[in-house]
Amino acid sequence: GGAKGQTSGRGPGFPLPQPPLPSTFTHDHLTGLREVSYDPKLATLVSNPVRELVQLRNGTLASEQNVRVAPGTPHVVPGTGAPADASTADVVLRIALPNATSTAAAVGVSVLANVSAGAPFGGILTIVNFSAPDANGTMTALASIRTLNPCGSGSEGLVQASFPILNGEAALDLRILVDRSVVEVFVQGGRAVFSKTFAPSIIYVPDTHVALQAWGGEVLTLETIDVHSMGCGWTDPPWQPHPQL
């Protein structure tokens, strides 16, 4: 436990266009320092950002509680779009689990999203599809991440991973780290983890909204969401090829 590592000597915000790494913890690249630990409840490894990243938070762009998100009515988090800038942000949210789960119930969180007529489009979208609990009360949920077309239709780069929500757990926890061309998502304490890289010069993201959407027949409750702005972690600007711990 407590192992820390970084691949290819790359720092946050400097992805390389190479094939995905052969890891259950990442899609495109392991772009930042992570802590790998053993979860005794699952009898397996989970992965989360190193705790030092919290020290890079330099302000709060948004903070909300008990927001109802109805299917077909997206909730755009105030304070995350222009003139504010959530293109480098630490997003932490907690969503109450559906009361009557079914394969149709799902929640999505968009970052780096544009907004037109109140509806978000473009950016990076993370979706969690809920399921009915098994006989032991454990739900096998399906998480996914994709890059949305900035023109408002279609997506690419879909990656999926299943993870458990255990009996007695009442909420879905997500942490999303945004660093302009890199988005990293940590689901339910690192049980599923995604890295999504893209080139802003090609997939242009003119805005930085955070937005939530629900699908299925049930209104979901966003218990809490905090969007923190982030500063630079490098001591020698603009970046270090061999960062020191």
Side-chain angles (χ1 to χ4, degrees):
K4 301 176 182 179
Q6 187 178 28
T7 64
S8 305
R10 308 303 294 182
F14 294 88
L16 288 175
Q18 296 178 348
L21 294 173
S23 168
T24 59
F25 287 150
T26 183
H27 164 48
D28 289 334
H29 287 83
L30 183 57
T31 52
L33 293 174
R34 293 184 185 170
E35 185 175 76
V36 178
S37 59
Y38 180 78
D39 187 333
K41 293 184 295 183
L42 302 176
T44 188
L45 296 176
V46 296
S47 178
N48 280 288
V50 294
R51 286 167 287 182
E52 290 83 351
L53 286 182
V54 173
Q55 300 173 12
L56 298 185
R57 296 174 180 174
N58 59 11
T60 299
L61 298 177
S63 183
E64 294 186 296
Q65 295 181 351
N66 296 321
V67 176
R68 305 279 281 173
V69 183
T73 307
H75 172 70
V76 179
V77 179
T80 57
D85 184 2
S87 66
T88 52
D90 189 347
V91 183
V92 182
L93 63 152
R94 183 176 177 86
I95 301 165
L97 298 181
N99 291 320
T101 57
S102 69
T103 55
V107 65
V109 182
S110 299
V111 296
L112 299 174
N114 309 311
V115 173
S116 176
F121 66 95
I124 305 296
L125 172 64
T126 301
I127 295 178
V128 172
N129 291 84
F130 301 106
S131 66
D134 62 19
N136 296 320
T138 295
M139 177 193 305
T140 300
L142 180 66
S144 62
I145 191 170
R146 70 200 75 196
T147 301
L148 299 178
N149 188 328
C151 296
S153 63
S155 64
E156 64 179 22
L158 172 67
V159 181
Q160 298 176 316
S162 60
F163 69 97
I165 299 176
L166 304 179
N167 186 15
E169 295 179 336
L172 171 71
D173 293 303
L174 293 174
R175 185 176 179 190
I176 305 175
L177 294 174
V178 185
D179 192 0
R180 294 185 176 88
S181 62
V182 179
V183 174
E184 295 192 289
V185 180
F186 301 83
V187 184
Q188 206 71 357
R191 295 176 190 175
V193 178
F194 300 105
S195 290
K196 176 65 68 175
T197 61
F198 65 97
S201 61
I202 299 174
I203 304 177
Y204 177 56
V205 180
D207 215 335
T208 62
H209 285 98
V210 177
L212 281 86
Q213 301 179 67
W215 293 273
E218 185 174 342
V219 176
L220 298 179
T221 299
L222 172 62
E223 293 186 355
T224 60
I225 181 169
D226 294 289
V227 182
H228 304 280
S229 56
M230 297 281 280
C232 182
W234 306 118
T235 58
D236 297 329
W239 67 291
Q240 299 180 60
H242 305 290
Q244 303 294 315
L245 291 179

